[in-house]
Amino acid sequence: MIEALQFEFMRNALFAGFFASLICGVIGTFVVVNRLVFLGGGIAHAAYGGIGIAFFFGVPYIVGTLGFSLVAALVMTAVVLKAKSRADTFIGVLWAVGMAIGIILLDLTPGYNVNLMSFLFGSILAVPNSDIWWMVGLSMITVVSAVYFYRDMLAISYDGEFAHLRGVPVNLLYFFFIGLVAVSIVIIIRVVGLILVIALLTIPPFIAEKYSSSLLMMMVLSTIFAMVFNLVGLWLAYRFNLTSGATIILVATCGFFISMILDYLLPRNFVMRQD
Amino acid sequence: MSAPVTEVENVSFSYNGLTVLENVSFTVEEKAFLAFIGPNGGGKTTLIKLLLGLLKPDSGRIRIYGTSPEKAAHRIGYVPQDVAINKAFPISVLDVVLMGRLRFHGKSRLSKADKKAARNVLEELEMLDYQNRRIDDLSGGQRERVFIARALATDPDIMILDEPTASLDTAGRTELYAILKEINKTKTIMVVTHDMMVLSSYVTSVACVNKNVHYHDDAEITEEMMQEGYHCPVELIAHGVPHRILKTHEDEP
């Protein structure tokens, strides 16, 4: 691994993995405790429509995807808040429509052929410097927002009705947090692909939730788990010349099953729950 | 003479075209201990959501301390139904109670004073030892105390509780009502309950909610209430003196 660090692409991959883990730890925790995994998947797939728009109309990639995903995310949020019982159907439709628009627009774009595989699994080993800066900026915004609004985030996730009665602007904050989810997903897709985004957003927080006595601890633990999965996955991918995104997902999945087995073997509340 | 704690005048509410409450009027006085009883689907929870300002009446008027429920929201401590809250959520007892201090001084962040206030309330309810426990490690009765602590942390004048005893055994219910009786010394209490035990020795008034509201200024249960208001089987634990036995309505399961 050490000799691999002499390559710039490897250092960039490690940086990208580090910041992706940080964003996923914080935002993924919000997604998992609010049961928004499906919405996250919807945003990630709808982002493909943004890629189509970006290439067809010749606007910068980040403008196309970010714009399209944010609009899709806000529409989905409005539906979740207005008609919770039908939200899953609606998200499913937007999910498919976004991908379809993306594929059709790419068909219609002359002379260009985006590789669907790189979109699905990303290319963490080919992260350009400019994307690293996007990730640094975004993780700063995410972490600062999460720290500043921690109590509000906790309150609206745990008991939104009570938070509303205390005068917390619940719906406004909900839009804000889901907006952050959309921005995070778009930036991270570029690096690790949409399948890995969903895996990184859900698996580490899911494992962390069982061992955490607070939302903050869950965020910290998920970030650490995500970093470990990234590091181990990258090393395996480098060592055995495998696709990095898929390797990281498999490592995360192994972590997931190991935690399930540990839960089964160890007594409940074994770690950290009681302090 | 200050305005009554709560005035409800000719309030009607319907949901998806279905009338839930019709022409409801009653007044609650300072330091009352009011029990809302009535069958499931009779509109008890709807009524307290109207009092909290979470729902708006189709017609009629609700006044809390002479103002609208939205403006009076900060004076009400609300204890929702246990089942309505995500039990597996990673949150500590202290963090739950600290929710009661949100926006207490208009700010998003909490101060040391807020933490102290939250710990004081936990201590009053003998739950301070559990402050760092995760909420789902507690028993039903302990969890209910934490929700009461959260409501008390808002420093309210009125406490509104939705079926606080639903998941408790008899001993737990007795303890919980003892706590409420203590709180009632300084605050008005309104409680939704299926539990007739409360009627025997604690409450000062009863409101039977079944589309209409029959309000009674004492804790007596009359034949009329049974006929018009409470069309459902009553689970009666006659705990106080005198014992009152209520018949189960015949055409209900």
Side-chain angles (χ1 to χ4, degrees):
Chain A
M1 193 76 188
I2 301 297
E3 80 274 5
L5 286 176
Q6 61 187 296
F7 302 115
E8 192 188 3
F9 68 87
M10 205 62 198
R11 287 198 299 272
N12 278 0
L14 282 176
F15 270 124
F18 176 82
F19 288 111
S21 303
L22 192 59
I23 300 168
C24 286
V26 175
I27 294 297
T29 294
F30 175 77
V31 168
V32 167
V33 296
N34 280 286
R35 309 280 185 273
L36 295 174
V37 175
F38 192 64
L39 189 140
I43 295 172
H45 286 81
Y48 202 65
I51 295 179
I53 287 173
F55 282 110
F56 186 77
F57 294 104
V59 294
Y61 164 89
I62 198 81
V63 175
T65 43
L66 205 53
F68 196 85
S69 303
L70 265 178
V71 170
L74 296 183
V75 172
M76 288 178 196
T77 313
V79 176
V80 168
L81 291 175
K82 269 275 169 208
K84 201 154 201 151
S85 52
R86 304 308 301 173
D88 60 337
T89 311
F90 195 82
I91 291 169
V93 170
L94 271 186
W95 172 314
V97 167
M99 287 212 86
I101 289 176
I103 289 167
I104 299 285
L105 285 178
L106 286 174
D107 282 347
L108 297 176
T109 307
Y112 195 88
N113 202 355
V114 169
N115 185 356
L116 189 63
M117 281 299 280
S118 83
F119 177 70
L120 289 178
F121 287 99
S123 41
I124 198 169
L125 291 171
V127 182
N129 283 329
S130 61
D131 280 6
I132 298 278
W133 288 114
W134 271 104
M135 295 184 77
V136 173
L138 181 74
S139 30
M140 288 302 137
I141 294 170
T142 315
V143 172
V144 168
S145 312
V147 170
Y148 186 80
F149 289 114
Y150 177 71
R151 289 283 159 195
D152 287 339
M153 189 194 263
L154 182 62
I156 68 172
S157 306
Y158 181 61
D159 187 352
E161 192 172 66
F162 190 90
H164 169 75
L165 287 172
R166 296 325 304 160
V168 177
V170 174
N171 287 356
L172 194 68
L173 283 169
Y174 209 69
F175 275 108
F176 174 69
F177 291 136
I178 292 183
L180 273 184
V181 173
V183 177
S184 309
I185 285 175
V186 166
I187 306 270
I188 298 171
I189 279 179
R190 171 82 163 176
V191 182
V192 296
L194 76 82
I195 308 245
L196 184 54
V197 160
I198 302 168
L200 272 187
L201 274 178
T202 51
I203 296 176
F206 181 82
I207 301 172
E209 188 175 26
K210 290 177 290 193
Y211 309 115
S212 306
S213 60
S214 71
L215 204 64
L216 183 68
M217 188 192 271
M218 186 171 160
M219 289 176 178
V220 173
L221 278 183
S222 341
T223 305
I224 294 170
F225 286 142
M227 283 177 185
V228 170
F229 298 151
N230 262 307
L231 268 179
V232 175
L234 264 180
W235 180 77
L236 288 174
Y238 174 80
R239 180 78 178 71
F240 299 105
N241 196 22
L242 304 167
T243 305
S244 54
T247 315
I248 294 170
I249 293 170
L250 281 185
V251 171
T253 315
C254 288
F256 178 77
F257 285 117
I258 289 169
S259 98
M260 301 248 281
I261 292 166
L262 283 179
D263 284 349
Y264 182 74
L265 295 177
L266 298 173
R268 194 170 173 280
N269 306 339
F270 174 68
V271 252
M272 288 179 262
R273 285 281 284 273
Q274 263 110 25
D275 41 329
Chain B
M1 186 61 202
S2 57
V5 174
T6 299
E7 278 175 293
V8 176
E9 281 172 39
N10 305 319
V11 164
S12 298
F13 182 83
S14 55
Y15 184 73
N16 285 345
L18 203 75
T19 306
V20 184
L21 293 169
E22 198 169 26
N23 216 10
V24 168
S25 300
F26 61 91
T27 305
V28 183
E29 298 298 335
E30 191 77 39
K31 309 264 164 50
F33 192 142
L34 168 65
F36 292 113
I37 61 171
N40 287 328
K44 302 187 297 292
T45 298
T46 303
L47 182 56
I48 61 173
K49 292 206 165 164
L50 286 164
L51 294 178
L52 289 162
L54 290 169
L55 297 173
K56 301 249 178 306
D58 297 340
S59 62
R61 199 173 82 129
I62 297 175
R63 282 280 172 270
I64 312 276
Y65 288 111
T67 177
S68 69
E70 290 80 19
K71 285 194 187 124
H74 66 281
R75 298 183 73 171
I76 304 178
Y78 174 45
V79 181
Q81 274 185 54
D82 192 21
V83 290
I85 292 175
N86 174 9
K87 282 205 187 67
F89 198 94
I91 187 168
S92 70
V93 166
L94 184 63
D95 279 348
V96 173
V97 179
L98 280 170
M99 276 183 75
R101 304 297 290 186
L102 276 174
R103 299 296 193 281
F104 196 75
H105 306 287
K107 279 183 261 165
S108 176
R109 312 296 308 274
L110 294 175
S111 66
K112 278 214 169 76
D114 290 323
K115 289 198 174 152
K116 192 158 179 273
R119 290 204 175 96
N120 284 343
V121 181
L122 278 172
E123 180 145 40
E124 274 170 40
L125 293 172
E126 293 165 16
M127 289 297 293
L128 191 59
D129 292 345
Y130 300 90
Q131 60 171 326
N132 293 321
R133 288 280 197 94
R134 201 168 126 158
I135 191 85
D136 59 354
D137 287 341
L138 303 185
S139 70
Q142 291 170 329
R143 206 161 41 234
E144 207 56 56
R145 282 175 190 235
V146 174
F147 293 139
I148 291 174
R150 177 176 72 165
L152 284 174
T154 67
D155 198 15
D157 298 309
I158 308 172
M159 290 283 280
I160 295 185
L161 303 93
D162 196 352
E163 298 201 27
T165 56
S167 59
L168 306 187
D169 59 16
T170 313
R173 290 173 191 204
T174 313
E175 266 178 42
L176 194 98
Y177 284 123
I179 292 171
L180 291 185
K181 195 170 189 178
E182 191 61 31
I183 295 170
N184 189 220
K185 284 179 183 163
T186 54
K187 298 174 202 305
T188 306
I189 292 185
M190 299 182 216
V191 57
V192 170
T193 184
H194 275 296
D195 186 355
M196 301 305 265
M197 179 173 105
V198 64
L199 300 176
S200 55
S201 51
Y202 299 104
V203 305
T204 59
S205 37
V206 179
C208 300
V209 187
N210 190 9
K211 210 183 214 185
N212 308 108
V213 170
H214 298 260
Y215 191 83
H216 301 265
D217 250 335
D218 49 39
E220 289 300 318
I221 294 175
T222 63
E223 190 70 18
E224 167 221 16
M225 283 163 76
M226 291 310 297
Q227 296 299 328
E228 293 174 34
Y230 205 175
H231 292 278
C232 81
V234 170
E235 157 199 356
L236 177 74
I237 305 147
H239 203 70
V241 184
H243 287 217
R244 306 185 189 97
I245 305 297
L246 306 178
K247 270 182 273 175
T248 299
H249 201 268
E250 278 160 11
D251 45 81
E252 295 282 339

